[in-house]
Amino acid sequence: MPVSRQGSNNRARALTRAIVVLALLAIALTAAVAYADEQPTPGTPTAIPPGATWHEEYIKEADGTQLHADVLRPKQLPATAKTPVILSIGPYFNHTGQTGAASPVENVPFDPTANAGPSTRFYDFETGSNMFPKGYTYVMVDLRGFGGSSGCLDWAGPGEQADVKAAVEWAASQPWSTGKVGMYGKSYDAVTGLIGENVQPKGLAAVVAQEPVYDLYRYLYMNRVRFENSVATPALYDAIAAEPGSTGDTLAYNSNSVNDTARPGCPVFNHADQQDRNHDAPYWKPRNLIAGAGKGRTPLFMTQGFIENNTKPDGAWDYFNAVRAPKRAWFGMWDHVRGNDRDPKRGNRLAMGRAGWFDEVMRFFDHYVAGKSLKEAPTNKDPTLAVESSDGKWRAESHWPPPDSFSLNTPLNGGSYVDHGQNSGTNEGTPPMGDGVWTFSPAFDHLVHFAGVPRVTVQANTQTSDANLVVDVYDLDAKSNATLISRGAYLLDGSNKPVTYDLYGDDWLLPAGHRIGVLITSSNGEWWTHTPTGQLVTVKSASISLPYLACARTQAIEGGPSLKLEDYMKLDPFAVDPATVQQATRAGFPVPGVLAPGCAGVKTGGGKIAACVKHQKFRFRIHQPRPNGRIVRVDVFVDGKRTQTKRGHRVTSLVVKRPNKKNFTVKIVATSSTGQKTISVRHYRRCVKTAPHTHVQQP
């Protein structure tokens, strides 16, 4: 009979799921599960914040999936009052706790017998932002397969992208909604914010995304090299999805939590799909959010740590800069923390080091979601970007990399290393450190400001495929202590062809007496899980493009050193043998000139911060040579007038002639096989002190 058959199937699925959960938990709890979101939450797993009322609703999707929503409404308003909405959607809102049975390891609450009620994941935001007195409704939605939602998780894939669209449009269409929705999250529920930015559901008015992932592949791999969480993290999320609701929850809630009828056994399939290390695999393509960022038209407020140890900064600037909407961000020297996090063990100091997170977020929401005027929500007083550099000081920027960032290309030393997988990139790993082929600049006789994304090209010979190639960039002080400032990995295919790839971006000050060190090596064993081949890798040729600033930053804004930065400067440096430094220092290593005073932060007529240019001609690098297809033509416009056209499929740089005027704008437009796209608009001013793109001090 249909009823008994359905009950039998449910029991079979529940049993299969329980077996899978136990197996996955065994993996997750014995591996590095610290890669799931680790934000401690006060109190029990559920709580109704002061000034709010709570109820549950379900959202029915076209494919039959039911999404569970916890709705918190302002207590002081009538039930029918229309309010703007803030929405969070993700895997962490189960009423038992954020990460289920793994919670003791993840340092978050867990109670399978909890009373029914909303998750306290963002209780700090609910209470610290005064959202309910301000008249906002807050909605927390479980992604498919998590909490009280039915369906099968698919790790930010097409199903979860449909969830985001459905949840936002549902919240915008409710009788108690004004039709305007802002998204808020950190980590996975910041990823869903970026999904919202990409898919542009009706009613989405603003996105706040703290420490997200921009390409789900890059969370587990870099150029086919596995991160140490590539097995444990997928297993952990499968286990979280398998967690039922609490004993205090409704039958509907708990029935949905074990309902994977669309794809029985999906955690196993999902985990298997995630073990494909090839970026171009069909599973990964829809999960690359960077590819769709250019569709973003919703105001975006983002945070990203340059030394983020969880979701990683890989692709952050590509995503952020591609979004075509009003944008704000905090970029700095922290790990996987929220803007408001404090450490009670360190004097209750802010983890990021900058005060006013909730105030700035609510000004952002008040303006773009609640529709308040600039007088009521003065977002124009907040810096477009608040950037913390390695000295712990904060400054305002209009763009990152900053407008005066330029790159110097330098050849690197050749040599060889053994692909043994034992080298560590920092002193937080185990020895050896610094094992490989070094290249050093001469010691600087002035302050150098490294800011941007390095790009490396290496031609290495191997005997077989799958040899590991890692390139690290270091700040080497006068005592030969090396502090890692950028890194990147690549798994060679055995063809012995040159490979080119980006390393991590950073914003780092190198005082006089310091120097740049570049290491080509087999591994960063504390960061990636390398599979060593044991073969000799011979570096035949290599070069690196290093980004620097032309203008001195002298104006600071509110903020102090992040906690991670202090630890990083103490724990991560390791000593390099001075003899190695002397032997590997390369003659002709280009060094940027002295930072020009007074030219950063100068405003043009359009209110944009301008870079300064002295020489009549200067170079303009194109960092994205193939937008939306192969480039067939690049046009340069200076103050709106086309000055040159360059044709070709591999256009990477242009030489621009400066007009004889104080302020001017350069626009670069690429025409590809799929249409025309403006890839950069930069504001410049004539500068009497420096030539940032050409002035190089030779040793």
Side-chain angles (χ1 to χ4, degrees):
M1 294 177 65
V3 173
S4 60
R5 181 182 177 186
Q6 180 66 38
S8 176
N9 284 346
N10 282 342
R11 286 191 295 273
R13 279 194 295 271
L15 179 59
T16 301
R17 188 165 188 159
I19 294 171
V20 170
V21 171
L22 290 174
L24 294 174
L25 275 175
I27 296 173
L29 294 176
T30 57
V33 295
Y35 284 84
D37 200 2
E38 300 173 10
Q39 173 59 36
T41 307
T44 61
T46 62
I48 302 173
T53 61
W54 165 72
H55 70 276
E56 300 172 275
E57 297 203 34
Y58 288 90
I59 305 164
K60 185 70 175 291
E61 295 192 68
D63 66 354
T65 302
Q66 278 195 331
L67 302 181
H68 171 266
D70 288 307
V71 181
L72 293 167
R73 293 273 294 158
K75 200 170 189 175
Q76 77 277 14
L77 297 179
T80 56
K82 291 183 179 292
T83 70
V85 179
I86 300 172
L87 181 144
S88 298
I89 177 171
Y92 299 127
F93 302 112
N94 193 316
H95 293 171
T96 63
Q98 294 178 35
T99 56
S103 291
V105 178
E106 295 299 318
N107 194 29
V108 289
F110 172 61
D111 184 0
T113 63
N115 293 326
S119 165
T120 57
R121 171 166 171 76
F122 289 123
Y123 191 83
D124 56 351
F125 177 51
E126 296 163 12
T127 55
S129 66
N130 292 317
M131 65 168 70
F132 301 114
K134 280 175 167 285
Y136 284 86
T137 295
Y138 183 49
V139 177
M140 289 170 279
V141 179
D142 299 313
L143 283 171
R144 62 180 57 206
F146 294 97
S149 294
S150 67
C152 178
L153 82 162
D154 70 350
W155 234 50
E160 292 184 9
Q161 292 175 25
D163 295 347
V164 172
K165 186 175 187 293
V168 172
E169 293 184 349
W170 174 86
S173 66
Q174 295 308 293
W176 37 259
S177 171
T178 61
K180 297 291 186 181
V181 179
M183 296 186 71
Y184 183 89
K186 180 239 180 177
S187 197
Y188 204 130
D189 37 44
V191 172
T192 58
L194 300 190
I195 290 172
E197 183 71 64
N198 285 20
V199 302
Q200 292 289 293
K202 294 178 182 179
L204 183 62
V207 173
V208 176
Q210 302 170 80
E211 310 303 304
V213 179
Y214 309 92
D215 176 355
L216 274 292
Y217 171 88
R218 301 191 203 193
Y219 184 45
L220 302 183
Y221 305 89
M222 187 175 193
N223 299 314
R224 299 198 304 135
V225 179
R226 287 181 179 271
F227 283 102
E228 57 181 1
N229 64 309
S230 61
V231 175
T233 297
L236 178 62
Y237 280 108
D238 289 343
I240 297 171
E243 184 68 35
S246 71
T247 57
D249 277 307
T250 64
L251 180 61
Y253 188 104
N254 279 298
S255 176
N256 277 349
S257 71
V258 296
N259 184 358
D260 288 343
T261 54
R263 192 185 186 191
C266 74
V268 175
F269 296 115
N270 191 55
H271 191 277
D273 287 336
Q274 290 162 339
Q275 302 315 303
D276 193 327
R277 65 186 184 183
N278 297 299
H279 197 189
D280 59 355
Y283 179 84
W284 294 117
K285 285 184 178 179
R287 293 163 175 83
N288 179 3
L289 303 181
I290 299 171
K295 301 175 184 177
R297 298 294 186 274
T298 300
L300 172 65
F301 190 169
M302 205 172 86
T303 74
Q304 179 58 60
F306 292 115
I307 50 180
E308 160 72 78
N309 63 354
N310 182 327
T311 50
K312 311 170 188 77
D314 194 9
W317 332 117
D318 293 333
Y319 185 93
F320 185 76
N321 293 328
V323 171
R324 299 171 65 183
K327 291 175 286 190
R328 299 210 182 280
W330 289 11
F331 297 148
M333 304 294 163
W334 50 78
D335 48 16
H336 202 56
V337 294
R338 302 179 187 180
N340 61 290
D341 278 355
R342 294 179 180 271
D343 189 341
K345 297 179 181 179
R346 298 171 73 168
N348 209 34
R349 289 174 53 195
L350 285 160
M352 286 189 184
R354 178 170 164 82
W357 170 251
F358 288 146
D359 291 340
E360 193 166 333
V361 166
M362 292 311 294
R363 284 192 292 271
F364 188 76
F365 280 149
D366 284 349
H367 183 65
Y368 291 110
V369 181
K372 294 184 179 180
S373 67
L374 287 177
K375 185 176 181 180
E376 297 171 298
T379 55
N380 56 337
K381 293 184 179 180
D382 297 319
T384 301
L385 306 182
V387 180
E388 181 200 15
S389 52
S390 61
D391 60 355
K393 295 180 181 178
W394 291 70
R395 68 182 192 274
E397 291 284 358
S398 65
H399 192 274
W400 204 93
D404 60 319
S405 178
F406 66 99
S407 294
L408 295 178
N409 194 69
T410 184
L412 300 175
N413 294 330
S416 61
Y417 63 88
V418 176
D419 182 26
H420 52 57
Q422 297 176 5
N423 181 73
S424 291
T426 67
N427 206 27
E428 292 192 50
T430 57
M433 296 95 178
D435 177 72
V437 182
W438 278 105
T439 304
F440 295 99
S441 74
F444 305 138
D445 60 11
H446 55 271
L447 177 68
V448 168
H449 196 155
F450 176 104
V453 179
R455 188 167 179 81
V456 68
T457 298
V458 179
Q459 196 263 304
N461 287 353
T462 63
Q463 291 76 52
T464 62
S465 63
D466 293 348
N468 292 277
L469 167 70
V470 171
V471 178
D472 295 327
V473 181
Y474 291 92
D475 170 9
L476 199 77
D477 68 15
K479 296 182 179 180
S480 297
N481 295 309
T483 303
L484 185 70
I485 59 178
S486 181
R487 59 175 150 197
Y490 200 101
L491 199 64
L492 298 170
D493 63 6
S495 68
N496 296 337
K497 295 179 180 179
V499 298
T500 299
Y501 62 99
D502 288 342
L503 310 183
Y504 289 173
D506 211 339
D507 198 292
W508 200 271
L509 294 168
L510 295 94
H514 288 221
R515 68 179 78 212
I516 288 279
V518 181
L519 178 67
I520 302 176
T521 182
S522 68
S523 55
N524 281 181
E526 85 287 18
W527 195 244
W528 289 284
T529 298
H530 300 277
T531 302
T533 62
Q535 63 184 297
L536 186 71
V537 179
T538 302
V539 179
K540 301 295 290 184
S541 65
S543 64
I544 190 167
S545 178
L546 295 171
Y548 303 101
L549 295 191
C551 303
R553 276 19 183 203
T554 58
Q555 299 296 317
I557 60 174
E558 198 284 324
S562 61
L563 300 183
K564 174 65 176 178
L565 176 62
E566 293 181 354
D567 295 339
Y568 192 77
M569 300 298 278
K570 292 176 183 177
L571 300 175
D572 281 61
F574 61 87
V576 180
D577 182 4
T580 299
V581 177
Q582 182 178 9
Q583 182 181 11
T585 297
R586 187 178 180 92
F589 195 117
V591 177
V594 176
L595 290 165
C599 64
V602 175
K603 302 288 185 178
T604 67
K608 303 291 186 180
I609 295 179
C612 49
V613 178
K614 179 182 180 181
H615 287 194
Q616 189 65 26
K617 293 183 179 181
F618 65 101
R619 185 169 296 278
F620 195 105
R621 291 189 60 81
I622 300 175
H623 297 289
Q624 296 179 341
R626 295 181 182 178
N628 300 327
R630 298 180 68 84
I631 284 182
V632 295
R633 189 180 79 239
V634 175
D635 296 301
V636 180
F637 297 84
V638 178
D639 283 344
K641 182 179 180 181
R642 185 165 60 187
T643 60
Q644 64 172 295
T645 296
K646 192 169 183 179
R647 300 177 184 275
H649 296 306
R650 295 292 295 169
V651 178
T652 59
S653 64
L654 297 160
V655 176
V656 177
K657 185 177 181 181
R658 172 181 62 78
N660 189 24
K661 57 193 298 187
K662 182 178 179 181
N663 296 318
F664 61 98
T665 300
V666 175
K667 181 170 77 170
I668 308 295
V669 177
T671 302
S672 72
S673 58
T674 57
Q676 194 177 82
K677 181 180 180 182
T678 299
I679 58 176
S680 185
V681 178
R682 292 195 182 184
H683 300 265
Y684 292 89
R685 70 183 291 268
R686 185 176 52 178
C687 183
V688 297
K689 294 289 185 181
T690 188
H693 292 257
T694 58
H695 177 54
V696 178
Q697 173 185 311
Q698 296 290 349

